[in-house]
Amino acid sequence: MIAKDKGANKFLWTVCIENYGENQLEEMKKGYQKHVLYLLGCLLIMGCKTDKEKSETADIFHDSSGNPIEEWIALDSTIIGRSTVAENLDVPWEITWGPDDNIWFTEQGGRVSRLDPNTGQVHVLLEIQDVFRKRTTGLLGLAIHPDFKKSPYVFLNYTTKNEKTITSRLMRYEYANDTLINPKTILEIPGHTAHNGTRLTISPDKKLIWATGDIGPDVDNAQNVKSLNGKILRFNLDGSIPDDNPFANSPVWSWGQRNVQGMAYGAKGLLYTSEHGDATDDEVNLMQKGRNYGWPNVSGYCNDATGNPSFCKDSAVVEPMKAWTPTIAPAGIDYYASRSIPEWNNSLLLVTLKESDFRVLGLNGTGDSIVSETILFDNVLGRIRDLCISPKGDVFISTSNQDWNPKEGFPKETDDRIIRIFKVGDTANAALFKQVSKGKESGEEVKMAGTAGKKSYNMYCAACHKTDGKGVENSFPPLIGSDIVNGPNEGLIRFTLGGAARSTNGAADGYGEAMPSFAFLSDADIADILTFIKGEFAEEAEKITADEVLKVRTEYAEK
């Protein structure tokens, strides 16, 4: 039953009374006394919104297609949710938003399909019979002609094999009568059981771009401009060589690539790629015409131990925008330019295989520098292979748990899946969302975006307070039920920066071990860790910002 003077229900009443009037709401309340959660969710998310807002925002428990929301995460101003739109797929490798508002995708075994994200219906367009599949070979890249109505062509890349030789084929098919027909081979190059690269995309100037791998162990292909392996290749859409390519009669656009796994255009025609390193230095790169990206002579940046500064200088090597060591196995990448999730606007969205997460890489105003990194869905979904973005700003990702290298605990029964990530509402309603979600049978709650701090928590805090926040009896206090954790942000930040000395009074509180100061961490790192702690172990999840940490740190410095 709704109580007009308590917490979130008071807020609900105040908002809805402006739309309905108190008498009407009293009648509605009587009719729904046995369905409190339904009333809370529907009145706020549906009844108190305009028709336009209804169409832009899902209800609190389901996406716009009626699929259950499996997780909520509160960002700075937006609550996002994730839901499954397709399952039991065979390693979807490349997914792209099609001209029919369907998701077109390849599956590694040789199938091309399109998925209606509103119904979950999958329609098979083509099954290629001569696909060779082993480790990372198979049916891989896909791109759709930008003038599809006039030129209904689909470009594919797959590997095939005769008795001795593996070949990587760039193909063009025609779409007609709800199927793909009339295959045309644009180019064949040497392939291998690994390092085939294989991403396809279309440039703003309507060129077909193909990322190829170095097909190691012959890594020298990447520096040989006469080899088409370890390159970004550029074609006209009819398969011919553009006149303005760097080398006459050659599709080579750039070289020195090891194994590109993601490729997307952003604002101002900038081309971004994600690339697997070897033992170190996975990379995100900003691609430039006629430039060398270093592999195998350079890994990562030019000025570090693996950078080979002399080769960098002699060959004018382009350094990565960002590099990761330990490696994360970056996969699909895309550019987000939507106000639907404003925190992600002007960002690169990156999914990973080894680290099994979803990363938001914030860009500067000119798009040539990565200025922030946020990690979500860490080790929740398993390996993630690719993503695409709908015109309204929903993000779709594909898992890769049925592939050759599954993580422990995967694949799950319904793998592989295509998953929607979308705006559910605003964080102004986060408390209500949390209260409503507590009523779900699963007991799930809205999660704060503290995943970025999870790894740092495990690195700096879990040894004492443990991953479950229960601490160690007689030594390290639990975070669950802690007055400091449940108290004001300022107190928790102050305790983290200042630490605590070992108890000298016989550990009257039962916990005698010291806590070191963590002032050596950056404001952003502390904010991420404490947001994670608040989200996992506090009675009320709450985001802590770097500005809050800086304020407390400054107060310390002034004393």
Side-chain angles (χ1 to χ4, degrees):
M1 180 172 170
I2 295 181
K4 289 182 287 182
D5 58 348
K6 290 187 178 180
N9 294 345
K10 181 178 180 181
F11 170 76
L12 171 68
W13 192 272
T14 302
V15 173
C16 291
I17 199 170
E18 295 176 0
N19 292 270
Y20 289 95
E22 186 165 3
N23 291 337
Q24 184 177 352
L25 281 184
E26 286 286 359
E27 293 301 315
M28 294 174 67
K29 180 189 71 175
K30 293 176 183 178
Y32 287 104
Q33 286 179 352
K34 296 181 181 179
H35 304 282
V36 176
L37 293 181
Y38 180 89
L39 184 57
L40 284 171
C42 291
L43 282 181
L44 181 61
I45 304 305
M46 300 172 66
C48 300
K49 288 183 176 290
T50 65
D51 290 339
K52 179 181 179 182
E53 287 171 322
K54 290 178 191 177
S55 67
E56 291 177 348
T57 307
D59 73 60
I60 206 166
F61 300 123
H62 302 87
D63 67 14
S64 58
S65 303
N67 301 308
I69 298 177
E70 299 160 7
E71 181 180 4
W72 299 264
I73 293 179
L75 307 177
D76 288 336
S77 64
T78 310
I79 293 177
I80 61 171
R82 65 171 175 86
S83 61
T84 298
V85 295
E87 55 190 24
N88 298 313
L89 303 176
D90 180 23
V91 188
W93 199 279
E94 182 134 30
I95 64 175
T96 190
W97 193 263
D100 53 357
D101 286 333
N102 279 208
I103 296 171
W104 292 51
F105 65 98
T106 60
E107 293 173 89
Q108 192 178 3
R111 191 161 49 229
V112 183
S113 304
R114 55 184 175 84
L115 162 69
D116 184 339
N118 295 315
T119 66
Q121 182 178 4
V122 174
H123 179 77
V124 178
L125 301 172
L126 174 68
E127 294 197 51
I128 303 174
Q129 301 301 315
D130 61 340
V131 166
F132 172 65
R133 177 178 182 176
K134 184 177 181 180
R135 294 187 64 187
T136 58
T137 65
L139 174 57
L140 307 172
L142 176 151
I144 301 174
H145 197 290
D147 299 321
F148 194 72
K149 288 186 177 180
K150 296 180 179 179
S151 303
Y153 297 121
V154 175
F155 302 93
L156 300 173
N157 168 231
Y158 70 90
T159 49
T160 187
K161 183 182 179 183
N162 59 25
E163 293 182 0
K164 296 182 179 180
T165 305
I166 300 173
T167 300
S168 184
R169 289 179 176 170
L170 180 61
M171 305 289 296
R172 190 190 76 180
Y173 287 79
E174 183 179 355
Y175 177 77
N177 300 319
D178 223 16
T179 190
L180 296 179
I181 60 174
N182 299 332
K184 174 185 175 182
T185 302
I186 296 176
L187 185 66
E188 292 189 5
I189 65 174
H192 198 266
T193 55
H195 296 201
N196 285 287
T198 73
R199 289 298 183 192
L200 298 176
T201 193
I202 307 294
S203 66
D205 62 348
K206 297 183 180 180
K207 306 298 182 185
L208 175 62
I209 311 298
W210 181 19
T212 68
D214 66 3
I215 61 169
D218 190 8
V219 295
D220 291 336
N221 286 327
Q223 286 297 318
N224 179 3
V225 295
K226 294 183 178 180
S227 167
L228 300 184
N229 293 101
K231 308 293 188 298
I232 300 295
L233 306 180
R234 180 173 179 261
F235 304 85
N236 294 316
L237 293 178
D238 62 3
S240 62
I241 306 299
D243 293 336
D244 60 346
N245 271 9
F247 304 101
N249 301 315
S250 171
V252 172
W253 178 256
S254 69
W255 64 98
Q257 273 76 51
R258 181 177 183 268
N259 192 20
V260 170
Q261 292 293 296
M263 184 164 58
Y265 278 92
K268 305 173 184 177
L270 299 179
L271 177 60
Y272 303 96
T273 63
S274 60
E275 183 172 349
H276 286 185
D278 190 7
T280 65
D281 296 294
D282 285 342
E283 298 177 354
V284 165
N285 285 296
L286 177 59
M287 308 310 298
Q288 301 177 43
K289 174 182 178 180
R291 296 298 299 274
N292 187 348
Y293 287 79
W295 178 258
N297 302 77
V298 180
S299 295
Y301 303 105
C302 289
N303 59 355
D304 64 16
T306 59
N308 197 338
S310 61
F311 182 86
C312 283
K313 181 178 180 180
D314 293 343
S315 302
V317 168
V318 180
E319 292 188 297
M321 299 177 70
K322 188 172 181 62
W324 290 268
T325 301
T327 55
I328 62 173
I333 196 169
D334 214 332
Y335 176 74
Y336 195 82
S338 172
R339 294 293 180 181
S340 177
I341 305 175
E343 293 89 342
W344 297 356
N345 189 42
N346 190 39
S347 293
L348 297 176
L349 305 184
L350 175 72
V351 295
T352 71
L353 298 164
K354 178 181 174 182
E355 285 301 300
S356 300
D357 56 28
F358 176 97
R359 301 187 179 217
V360 183
L361 307 177
L363 296 171
N364 65 352
T366 53
D368 57 3
S369 178
I370 294 172
V371 297
S372 65
E373 180 179 21
T374 302
I375 301 174
L376 302 171
F377 309 115
D378 188 25
N379 283 309
V380 173
L381 305 171
R383 291 160 64 84
I384 309 176
R385 177 69 62 177
D386 199 22
L387 75 162
C388 68
I389 301 168
S390 77
K392 72 174 186 178
D394 289 357
V395 179
F396 295 83
I397 62 177
S398 61
T399 66
S400 192
N401 294 315
Q402 296 278 0
D403 66 19
W404 70 283
N405 191 24
K407 298 194 68 169
E408 183 178 356
F410 293 92
K412 303 296 187 183
E413 185 177 352
T414 58
D415 280 327
D416 276 315
R417 297 186 288 159
I418 293 178
I419 294 165
R420 175 192 271 122
I421 302 168
F422 59 100
K423 178 180 179 178
V424 178
D426 298 316
T427 54
N429 302 328
L432 181 61
F433 272 72
K434 183 173 182 178
Q435 181 170 342
V436 173
S437 64
K438 280 183 178 178
K440 288 174 62 66
E441 291 181 359
S442 66
E444 283 190 87
E445 298 182 7
V446 175
K447 296 182 179 180
M448 298 302 290
T451 312
K454 182 177 181 179
K455 291 183 179 179
S456 294
Y457 173 86
N458 289 336
M459 180 181 298
Y460 296 111
C461 313
C464 299
H465 298 293
K466 303 305 173 186
T467 56
D468 59 6
K470 293 181 179 180
V472 178
E473 188 176 0
N474 298 323
S475 295
F476 303 108
L479 300 178
I480 297 172
S482 165
D483 290 341
I484 295 174
V485 172
N486 287 317
N489 290 351
E490 180 180 348
L492 179 57
I493 295 168
R494 186 177 299 277
F495 195 81
T496 303
L497 289 171
R502 182 188 301 271
S503 174
T504 58
N505 63 355
D509 60 358
Y511 303 102
E513 297 299 327
M515 174 177 159
S517 164
F518 287 91
F520 63 88
L521 294 175
S522 71
D523 296 336
D525 285 341
I526 291 175
D528 285 342
I529 291 172
L530 298 186
T531 296
F532 172 76
I533 288 174
K534 282 280 193 178
E536 290 291 313
F537 308 126
E539 293 173 359
E540 293 291 335
E542 189 171 357
K543 184 175 178 63
I544 294 177
T545 67
D547 287 343
E548 290 179 87
V549 178
L550 176 60
K551 179 181 178 182
V552 176
R553 191 192 295 271
T554 302
E555 291 173 355
Y556 261 117
E558 291 175 349
K559 291 181 178 180

